[in-house]
Amino acid sequence: MAADKVILAYSGGLDTSCILKWLLEQQYEVICVMADVGQKEDFEAARQKALKIGAQQVVVADVKESFVQHYIWPAIQMGLVYEERYLLGTSLARPCISVALVEAAKQHGAKYLAHGATGKGNDQVRFELSAYALQPDLKIIAPWRDVEFCRRFQGRQDLIAYAQAHGIEVTAKPATPWSTDANMLHISYESGVLEDPNIVAPSSLYELTLDPLTQAPQRATRVCIHFEHGLPTSVEDAANKRVYNTPLEMLTFLNELGGSYGIGRIDIVENRYVGLKSRGVYETPGGTILRAAHQDLEVFSLDREVLRTKQLLRDRMSDYVYNGFWFSPEALYVRRCIELAEQQVSGQVTIELLPGYCRVIARKAADAVGSLYNKQLVSMDEHGGYVPQDAGGFIAINAVRIREHVRAFGPYPTYK
Amino acid sequence: MAADKVILAYSGGLDTSCILKWLLEQQYEVICVMADVGQKEDFEAARQKALKIGAQQVVVADVKESFVQHYIWPAIQMGLVYEERYLLGTSLARPCISVALVEAAKQHGAKYLAHGATGKGNDQVRFELSAYALQPDLKIIAPWRDVEFCRRFQGRQDLIAYAQAHGIEVTAKPATPWSTDANMLHISYESGVLEDPNIVAPSSLYELTLDPLTQAPQRATRVCIHFEHGLPTSVEDAANKRVYNTPLEMLTFLNELGGSYGIGRIDIVENRYVGLKSRGVYETPGGTILRAAHQDLEVFSLDREVLRTKQLLRDRMSDYVYNGFWFSPEALYVRRCIELAEQQVSGQVTIELLPGYCRVIARKAADAVGSLYNKQLVSMDEHGGYVPQDAGGFIAINAVRIREHVRAFGPYPTYK
Amino acid sequence: MAADKVILAYSGGLDTSCILKWLLEQQYEVICVMADVGQKEDFEAARQKALKIGAQQVVVADVKESFVQHYIWPAIQMGLVYEERYLLGTSLARPCISVALVEAAKQHGAKYLAHGATGKGNDQVRFELSAYALQPDLKIIAPWRDVEFCRRFQGRQDLIAYAQAHGIEVTAKPATPWSTDANMLHISYESGVLEDPNIVAPSSLYELTLDPLTQAPQRATRVCIHFEHGLPTSVEDAANKRVYNTPLEMLTFLNELGGSYGIGRIDIVENRYVGLKSRGVYETPGGTILRAAHQDLEVFSLDREVLRTKQLLRDRMSDYVYNGFWFSPEALYVRRCIELAEQQVSGQVTIELLPGYCRVIARKAADAVGSLYNKQLVSMDEHGGYVPQDAGGFIAINAVRIREHVRAFGPYPTYK
Amino acid sequence: MAADKVILAYSGGLDTSCILKWLLEQQYEVICVMADVGQKEDFEAARQKALKIGAQQVVVADVKESFVQHYIWPAIQMGLVYEERYLLGTSLARPCISVALVEAAKQHGAKYLAHGATGKGNDQVRFELSAYALQPDLKIIAPWRDVEFCRRFQGRQDLIAYAQAHGIEVTAKPATPWSTDANMLHISYESGVLEDPNIVAPSSLYELTLDPLTQAPQRATRVCIHFEHGLPTSVEDAANKRVYNTPLEMLTFLNELGGSYGIGRIDIVENRYVGLKSRGVYETPGGTILRAAHQDLEVFSLDREVLRTKQLLRDRMSDYVYNGFWFSPEALYVRRCIELAEQQVSGQVTIELLPGYCRVIARKAADAVGSLYNKQLVSMDEHGGYVPQDAGGFIAINAVRIREHVRAFGPYPTYK
């Protein structure tokens, strides 16, 4: 009888290498899949390592372009942000990687999907919900939730011992006292020394951004970002007029420029879907710039009440994506609703980059479309069709409820 | 027959000086009220000017302490921010000033309240709704909505001519090509050259903050802010261990330190309540630091689902305050609801100040209270009562709806 | 010089007849427009009356079909209901009538639009916002807000005297001690004896529905309503298998059948947009049946989380429509979002009609589409792919936050 | 070694009797707890049965009063309703029963809690989340999620066989082809023949309400319900002036009277928390009357904008309660917020009862408190302080955004 096939989300690291070996011990046939979402990784070395351990096959799927175009760009368009600060770098990568994993499963007729995500984290949820959505009958193997596996591997030392015992190469460089996740949008840092939220993160931790004070250029520079229907369509480097046009080029450029300025570092405590609070440090240089630009253009472009509804939908969508529901009825629906609103978000935004942060300084609507910003209407020097006298009635009618409350229930407290 | 008494919200500037004279021409008896909310103003000179023009009396009400304690502090506690960026500096001052105006009206038995706010702006709404709430039978005189007045004064030149004709002193220094509003929380700039939202604001405009690149100290510094029930209770300057304890001292210190670092500048287009979009530039140094700290501690302290509801209430309250409904049934109610949530927001936050921006780097709960952050629970190295195996069931049940959607309506689109 | 032309929303009643005359006195040239939205009215008699008073022309626009198809049907599809009870009969008619008024204005080159709505009500807002949306430069004449007009006509007696003095026929039948508004969707009653919300409305008031106890058939009957994408597509009378297919036929049939059963009477106090609370009695027989059916099918058809978002949008849209914002950026937007959700609301609902009320008793999805209702999955007798063991983990992970709260803040209060 | 003690939520029925025996077979010491929430049950017979099977002890906890006062009354006060129709009869009973179960566990030092709820339902979630909240270290035994148990008992026949084999009395009367849950607030019916949502529920099913057409009195009657701070404080039977004052008396009376009128039957498909859609039939006579009354008084009493926020909170709370989160940080918080709003909901409502339904016909505020309903203000015959002219400006300013949209993006679609 042929062995059951497993697709393993492989990283080349200690954990998934041991998991690979362990799966082989359980008599599975293992196909390792590495999705290249922009992490700096020696994929070829990892492939060799996996094959040496015993993987039947190793697939490296370059999904960078898809990741930027089909996950990051919509996230910018929708204005997604979790708990008002986290730009969802890891959350967005998970469904993208899952597509590659499920494709491999379909191609190889594998019934199982294995991953190395921990049992306390969000990623297990994101991988598995995505997998169930894309191939509802797929079976999941999550070793870090397996009682047997957890008993065997109670800490990093057990993994190292196991690796050494099975001839699995253990990287020479000592592990950082935190864990990271890197892709085109960001690098995240958590666990280890970061677990005490009152201990300042070591300055040596940052990989994607330079130190704003000591390493960034001590002068401002500008970029001009164009949007169509809420999606970035080009980025111009004002310093040299160079223009970037594809999503991948734009993000790469903004990551490099933003990174050199030390832009996009945050240190937060966030609420995980499984009910824990965890502390994370994130670097998101390009994403931070894109979000600032999009946010500015959106408020500039949308009718106030449309904006209010859109923001409500955005908040829901941010939770869906963080929690792993990228592929879900609600995310499909809310995304289409937001896209409708974004039809009117077209124009350009000028952003100034300074050491450590960026700042929107100018914006205009696309020439071809109308704009709700009306210089005549708002001007102090002309009427522009506005009749100031109307405001008196507007205020008086709005005051009806306010006065009624006093009549019925007495005066408002004036202090507090 | 005695003349009708008017309370005039007086600033000492050209507009309200002309309005004062104009009201006297209409046979009103005018009492000028200046509320000191922290703007840098020569109140004594303004008093003399008003008396010279013919004011019956000039009241200078120092409401700085009340403004900080009863308006800014609650706004920080509630996390108020309009359209995700504007910290409501002007919006908060209006009800505070209105209290002073209405108190004067009550004291002097005045039936009228006059102000110099324009007919296109938010401030007329804020002043008048507050006044109607505090004294429902007060009558408003808004010259800039008066047809006769507007015909007479069609531009600044008409005001200057009128002033000169009536011996009203016109300040020697030329007017800035924008208008400003200053108080303890911020300075705002709008109109004039700022009306084109695609023209970068002149760097000479900023009054409250130094230029981050050329004037701010090129080194980081830290402050530690303590909160109790969501309200700031002390600020410690880490550089010299000095501690500030009263709201007024804390805000003054953070404004000075933050201002010297060039922190808190924004340039936005916002949606006015009367239906216009307008461009504003704001400097809010202390408020920006306080908000960053409060936001961090709040997510750290509150249960996730309580936080979700609180943020919804916060968004509503931000609109209420921006639109002028500080004194309203809905603001009273929502504020009390938010205060309930904030009972659990006590602790301290360490913030790093850098040229142009600030960044939270550490936080902890107050010793005396419990904390929902649970190092044991989130640790990768211990279980802390969490059973990883449970997560599998959690995910599977959450997948029921996701799979049902596929069963009923077919596969999810994977690209887009 | 030619006189200015006015389009007058004419009803044939005392008020608008006097307004017609008054407008003629002001030297306007008046074109009367009557929109037939299903009210029982002798339009020909009204036409003659208007012409006799001096109208230059009288237009009777039969907009019944448009009203049902373009206003009532979308309202059913969207599930609109104001403050959880009022089905928006009058609110929906106003924009529909406004289209007819503005069309007449365009056709006759009229710059003015006059209506007889009072200054305290919602209808003035609905008419005027619709008119401004459809022809932004139209000027409104609202006599009941005109100081001169209001001084002249201080009560019904003044109108009668004026009518008699100008040869305007005053109807012989005494006015009811309340005012009504009738159309295809409902009849509303308010004012007069209804102004005391604690006085029971007289039973003689109801025009559209029979008395459930004494006049309705004392047996149940059934109808089966089909929906496609949330819109009613046919109604079958189970008693005789007759099928109604066009919106107008369906609604006419359900109004008659529902009316004969006394279905759809409500007596409420509602919040007007201008800040007042008012008491209204409504009869909405067909609408009540359609809404019950649609609501049932919607919960049956939509994914739970999609439903949650849709209901939020529905609540917003209900307010927009009640407040007069049918033609507005926000209503356009939210309506399109709701239509997206309704794509999956197709099927049939069986409703039982009983004296005074109706009740959904069965429902099924359209054969051609999928259904999220899964008999196998929910059955107590089979698994249907559901793994009961998963529920334990689901509950345990959901309990993490609940337990953490106890750990941090102590036990939950058990009584209260 | 002493056996582990289990608290078993016992009903006296076949399922929990077999579970009791099965637990004994597993060597547990079992204490049966029956919570009397108003179901019609022969508790003494059930006690004897359990003791005969081998229960160490049987506790019958009469929690009817607590259930009405601490669960149903707050639910009425908060206006809770799930998916707009279900009054949460079962959902509310679960936390109340859980308090009794956990109290027994504490008293007897039991570490385990067992229940007979199925693995596909909501009740397992409600019981267990409540238990975890009240005693975080309690361990749950859910036999219907136990692989071994489920294998042994694959259907009702297996249970009967097991019962007979172990001398457990099997009730003579044949089981209904549906399952029910009864308490002071309602009876629910689901499963069995009800699983096809397009099959009309048999008329023989209803236990709590008479048939409106054939059994109810064919005349109307009235009750007058008083509320204080949103809580019912007395009910007067208008027919005989009898007054009921305690929560238990009031609900008992309304259940009887409402039941005799056949009021409160609904047939719905609802969304279960575990992701399924299920069909349920419910009878809630007293609750339906109380909710109608409360809803009317609430809209009558609350400021419009306060009401909007309260309804949003109510919708969240309804989901919390349905999903089993009665004891949770979010439910605690939102409940306190709603209670704040309800402080102003005091007064009386007159309701007419007719066969099959009830209808609010009059309402007034409590004499001692103010009322936002203002007869003078809304009257067509007096001004009451309202200035109709103000409405023109109110409308014009509200039209600014509407017109701007036309200017920027062209005309609104008039049909659709």
Side-chain angles (χ1 to χ4, degrees), chain C residues 5-54:
Chain C
K5 274 191 202 167
V6 183
I7 299 296
L8 171 63
Y10 186 68
S11 75
L14 179 63
D15 281 44
T16 51
S17 293
C18 289
I19 288 173
L20 166 54
K21 184 68 198 171
W22 180 80
L23 287 169
L24 293 169
E25 285 182 350
Q26 319 292 310
Q27 311 301 329
Y28 288 105
E29 205 170 278
V30 186
I31 294 148
C32 288
V33 175
M34 286 188 287
D36 178 359
V37 286
Q39 70 274 46
K40 303 296 168 226
E41 195 70 63
D42 184 340
F43 290 105
E44 190 45 37
R47 178 203 303 272
Q48 294 308 329
K49 187 172 175 182
L51 289 174
K52 195 174 148 207
I53 296 170

Side-chain angles (χ1 to χ4, degrees), chain B residues 20-323:
Chain B
L20 166 53
K21 184 68 197 172
W22 180 80
L23 287 168
L24 294 168
E25 284 183 351
Q26 320 292 309
Q27 310 300 330
Y28 289 105
E29 203 169 278
V30 185
I31 294 149
C32 289
V33 175
M34 286 186 288
D36 178 1
V37 287
Q39 70 274 46
K40 304 293 170 227
E41 194 72 61
D42 184 339
F43 291 104
E44 190 44 36
R47 179 204 303 272
Q48 294 309 329
K49 186 173 175 182
L51 290 173
K52 196 176 148 206
I53 296 170
Q56 194 198 42
Q57 199 176 330
V58 179
V59 179
V60 179
D62 180 351
V63 295
K64 287 195 294 291
E65 228 175 291
S66 174
F67 180 41
V68 179
Q69 189 175 342
H70 300 303
Y71 298 84
I72 299 175
W73 252 222
I76 294 298
Q77 182 192 37
M78 293 189 272
L80 301 191
V81 57
Y82 184 66
E83 293 184 341
E84 309 195 353
R85 292 166 299 175
Y86 170 40
L87 293 178
L88 296 165
T90 299
S91 323
L92 288 164
R94 294 324 184 200
C96 176
I97 294 170
S98 299
V99 168
L101 296 172
V102 169
E103 268 174 11
K106 286 184 176 159
Q107 201 180 325
H108 293 88
K111 286 184 193 151
Y112 292 86
L113 177 62
H115 63 73
T118 78
K120 286 183 170 180
N122 293 307
D123 284 338
Q124 55 177 345
V125 189
R126 295 166 185 155
F127 277 131
E128 297 177 29
L129 288 184
S130 294
Y132 289 143
L134 297 169
Q135 190 174 337
D137 59 352
L138 208 59
K139 287 186 177 51
I140 302 292
I141 299 173
W144 287 118
R145 293 199 312 255
D146 183 281
V147 175
E148 205 45 58
F149 186 94
C150 290
R151 197 170 299 148
R152 187 155 171 188
F153 302 102
Q154 301 200 9
R156 189 173 158 77
Q157 287 318 310
D158 294 336
L159 289 165
I160 292 175
Y162 179 80
Q164 287 168 337
H166 292 83
I168 299 170
E169 182 191 347
V170 178
T171 175
K173 78 166 178 200
T176 54
W178 53 73
S179 68
T180 74
D181 177 66
N183 62 45
M184 281 302 298
L185 185 51
H186 84 160
I187 300 188
S188 71
Y189 310 88
E190 57 174 21
S191 306
V193 297
L194 300 175
E195 278 171 11
D196 183 334
N198 203 35
I199 301 279
V200 178
S203 60
S204 63
L205 162 153
Y206 301 98
E207 298 179 27
L208 214 50
T209 58
L210 297 182
D211 182 70
L213 273 177
T214 61
Q215 301 173 308
Q218 295 304 308
R219 65 185 174 278
T221 191
R222 292 179 184 177
V223 295
C224 180
I225 307 179
H226 287 76
F227 291 86
E228 215 167 290
H229 305 329
L231 290 166
T233 50
S234 75
V235 176
E236 185 186 342
D237 183 345
N240 57 21
K241 302 290 173 199
R242 212 167 289 160
V243 177
Y244 303 85
N245 286 304
T246 72
L248 194 57
E249 281 171 8
M250 287 186 252
L251 185 56
T252 302
F253 165 66
L254 289 175
N255 275 337
E256 279 168 15
L257 187 63
S260 77
Y261 269 87
I263 290 171
R265 297 176 172 187
I266 60 166
D267 178 323
I268 64 171
V269 170
E270 72 199 47
N271 288 293
R272 286 195 191 153
Y273 186 38
V274 292
L276 317 176
K277 286 181 180 289
S278 79
R279 193 255 200 109
V281 175
Y282 301 93
E283 295 176 283
T284 319
T288 299
I289 298 166
L290 285 166
R291 170 174 153 74
H294 179 270
Q295 180 182 49
D296 184 84
L297 190 64
E298 190 174 76
V299 182
F300 176 76
S301 304
L302 292 184
D303 170 81
R304 184 185 69 207
E305 298 304 315
V306 172
L307 178 67
R308 292 293 179 279
T309 295
K310 188 261 152 186
Q311 298 301 58
L312 213 73
L313 296 173
R314 187 264 325 249
D315 288 344
R316 298 197 153 207
M317 187 69 184
S318 299
D319 279 3
Y320 299 157
V321 172
Y322 183 85
N323 292 343

